[in-house]
């Protein structure tokens, strides 16, 4: 299969890296496009893929196409490539807020469309991607797309109405977690721990907690209670977090994120 990427920024590069690492396709079967020579040369050097500055060339020479430019460029790029999109070609989008209906209207003809929302842990093969497709995408097509998405993490099909929730729950949520981890490390530094060591302790605590929840399938409240001894240090910390509104702050942040993504 020939894969195309219009846009090869950090997210697209993470996706390509995962796809190549799992040997789903070979580097020479991937064609990407970028405006600047420096970007093209960088991706050729880092990933070993073919690069061009011509978006239409990417469309003409590939079977499955990822549209991985920033959302604000979608309309202009679609105007540029829509005449070259073929009936049998699969187009995978990587942008919040661009619905299947909107995309279909921009192309003005039947196109196999798959919406996706990955996240930055794809950079280390631990991404989480939500996806949905229009009625023209066959089960075989969708299985092909799922295989590609699972090469850099996990992938789950969702109803399109939930795609904005996917943005808030996993697409944007690494930012919330990094803010939390930074604050935890700052507190450890304030307690006298060297910063590099603080980051190691915090990162492993977050990673281990995530794996614990995933492996045990226990409710997060149960796992929290397991740490909280009566009259102990943890329950005192939890009391302060509740007083300062940690839960409501996170929920409100995710709510506005979801609204913005619609």
């Amino acid at each position: 299969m020939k894969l195309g990427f219009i846009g090869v920024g950090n997210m697209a590069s993470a996706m390509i890296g995962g796809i190549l690492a799992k040997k789903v396709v070979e580097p020479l079967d991937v064609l990407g496009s970028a405006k600047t020579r420096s970007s093209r040369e960088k991706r050729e050097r880092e990933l070993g893929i073919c690069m061009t500055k011509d978006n239409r060339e990417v469309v003409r020479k590939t079977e499955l196409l990822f549209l991985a430019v920033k959302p604000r460029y979608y309309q202009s790029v679609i105007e540029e490539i829509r005449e070259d999109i073929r009936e049998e070609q699969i187009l995978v989008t990587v942008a919040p807020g661009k619905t299947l209906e909107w995309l279909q209207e921009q192309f003005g003809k039947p196109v196999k469309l798959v919406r996706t929302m990955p996240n930055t842990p794809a950079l280390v093969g631990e991404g989480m991607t939500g996806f949905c497709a229009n009625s023209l995408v066959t089960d075989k097509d969708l299985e092909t797309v799922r295989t590609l998405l699972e090469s850099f993490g996990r992938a789950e099909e969702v109803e399109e109405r939930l795609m904005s929730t996917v943005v808030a729950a996993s697409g944007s949520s690494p930012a919330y977690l990094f803010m939390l981890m930074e604050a935890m490390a700052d507190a450890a530094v304030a307690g006298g721990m060297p910063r590099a060591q603080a980051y190691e302790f915090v990162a492993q605590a977050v990673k281990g907690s995530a794996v614990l929840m995933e492996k045990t399938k226990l409710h997060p409240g149960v796992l929290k209670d397991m740490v909280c001894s009566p009259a102990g240090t943890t329950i005192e910390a939890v009391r302060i977090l509740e007083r300062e509104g940690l839960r409501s702050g996170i929920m409100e942040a995710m709510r506005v994120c979801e609204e913005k993504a619609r």
Side-chain angles (χ1 to χ4, degrees):
M1 174 178 290
K2 302 291 185 181
L3 298 184
F5 280 81
I6 295 180
V8 287
N10 290 334
M11 181 57 71
S13 296
M15 296 165 74
I16 295 169
I19 290 168
L20 297 180
K22 291 292 181 67
K23 300 188 183 301
V24 181
V25 299
E26 296 298 319
L28 293 181
D29 289 325
V30 181
L31 177 61
S33 63
K35 290 182 178 180
T36 66
R37 175 178 292 182
S38 60
S39 294
R40 295 193 295 273
E41 291 177 347
K42 180 181 181 182
R43 297 313 181 200
E44 286 176 345
R45 183 173 62 254
E46 292 176 345
L47 301 168
I49 64 174
C50 303
M51 291 293 300
T52 177
K53 64 178 180 180
D54 187 348
N55 291 338
R56 297 184 65 185
E57 180 184 357
V58 177
V59 178
R60 291 193 298 266
K61 292 184 176 180
T62 60
E63 300 162 73
L64 191 150
L65 175 68
F66 284 87
L67 188 52
V69 296
K70 296 187 186 308
R72 65 178 178 271
Y73 299 129
Y74 259 60
Q75 188 167 10
S76 61
V77 171
I78 290 173
E79 288 176 359
E80 178 186 1
I81 67 173
R82 62 186 169 197
E83 296 303 320
D84 295 295
I85 292 288
R86 306 181 303 279
E87 183 178 337
E88 72 279 7
Q89 200 166 26
I90 304 169
L91 179 68
V92 181
T93 68
V94 187
K98 301 303 183 185
T99 66
L100 295 172
E101 181 180 9
W102 182 88
L103 291 163
Q104 188 65 70
E105 289 176 354
Q106 303 310 304
F107 280 102
K109 64 180 181 180
V111 178
K112 292 183 176 184
L113 295 167
V114 181
R115 282 185 69 187
T116 71
M117 189 67 247
N119 63 6
T120 54
L123 286 163
V124 291
E126 293 291 345
M128 185 67 213
T129 305
F131 66 93
C132 62
N134 69 2
S135 60
L136 297 177
V137 178
T138 67
D139 290 343
K140 183 178 179 181
D141 294 333
L142 206 56
E143 195 57 38
T144 298
V145 173
R146 181 191 289 274
T147 298
L148 293 169
L149 299 178
E150 289 182 343
S151 69
F152 47 85
R154 294 179 56 186
E156 290 286 341
E157 185 176 5
V158 300
E159 298 177 34
E160 186 175 23
R161 66 181 181 84
L162 294 176
M163 285 299 288
S164 57
T165 305
V166 170
V167 175
S170 68
S172 298
S173 62
Y176 328 148
L177 293 170
F178 291 134
M179 290 176 68
L180 175 63
M181 292 165 70
E182 184 180 31
M184 291 168 65
D186 284 348
V189 171
M193 183 178 285
R195 183 164 291 278
Q197 192 174 46
Y199 287 144
E200 289 184 8
F201 270 83
V202 169
Q204 183 59 37
V206 173
K207 177 182 177 181
S209 299
V211 173
L212 181 62
M213 180 175 165
E214 181 182 40
K215 297 293 186 184
T216 64
K217 307 298 183 185
L218 292 174
H219 189 283
V222 172
L223 294 172
K224 180 263 295 179
D225 289 348
M226 289 168 58
V227 192
C228 295
S229 302
T233 57
T234 307
I235 193 63
E236 187 65 16
V238 168
R239 183 181 69 82
I240 298 301
L241 291 174
E242 293 286 16
R243 188 187 72 186
E244 297 299 317
L246 176 69
R247 293 179 196 240
S248 62
I250 291 172
M251 292 176 70
E252 284 301 303
M254 290 181 66
R255 184 181 65 82
V256 298
C257 182
E258 185 175 345
E259 289 177 353
K260 183 73 172 180
R262 287 200 173 97

